[in-house]
Amino acid sequence: MVAVKESLREARNQLSVFSRQVGTRLELKDADLDCLDLIDRAGPLSPTALARLTGLHPATLTGILDRLDRGGWVVRERAENDRRAVLIRSVGDRKGELYALLAGMNRGIDEICAGYSPAELEVIADFLRRTAETGRQATGDL
């Protein structure tokens, strides 16, 4: 159990370093990349929903969304069912730049996964999902 926890800490640190390098090359901050990923995976999202998911203060989130909008990463759109509501949607124009920077890491993960059986990969995926959920719960408890 100790080895698993230490490995998670090391993985978190290395992924954080990687993410900072990617952000630097794209002229985005860590929080910008996190928000972009959430918008891309769960969007379109309202700024309120994104603030809840990230735990960021609305004023901080506004600055992030302004940077992402100016950079061509997201657009703000009026919701169809409520013209007063705004939704944030990612746009594909710049995704190629991001994907190019992530390609080496993705290839490496593919190579690692190739060394495991489908059953082992299911256990690993379950562990990672449960770890992420534990992180969400711990964050909520704070």
Side-chain angles (χ1 to χ4, degrees), residues 33-127:
L33 279 175
D34 291 342
C35 287
L36 182 59
D37 184 52
L38 285 168
I39 294 165
D40 194 45
R41 288 186 300 126
L45 294 168
S46 70
T48 302
L50 185 57
R52 258 188 258 113
L53 286 171
T54 61
L56 294 170
H57 188 277
T60 302
L61 188 59
T62 297
I64 291 169
L65 293 175
D66 287 347
R67 278 192 300 279
L68 291 173
D69 191 6
R70 277 193 310 268
W73 295 101
V74 301
V75 292
R76 292 172 166 110
E77 300 175 327
R78 295 283 175 198
E80 289 181 22
N81 58 345
D82 181 355
R83 298 295 299 158
R84 295 169 296 169
V86 173
L87 294 175
I88 311 300
R89 180 179 57 81
S90 68
V91 292
D93 297 350
R94 298 201 56 196
K95 286 185 184 175
E97 294 173 64
L98 177 59
Y99 294 157
L101 294 172
L102 299 176
M105 182 64 155
N106 283 330
R107 274 191 306 277
I109 296 295
D110 288 346
E111 290 171 12
I112 292 168
C113 288
Y116 292 95
S117 71
E120 290 170 323
L121 289 173
E122 285 180 32
V123 170
I124 293 167
D126 178 63
F127 174 80

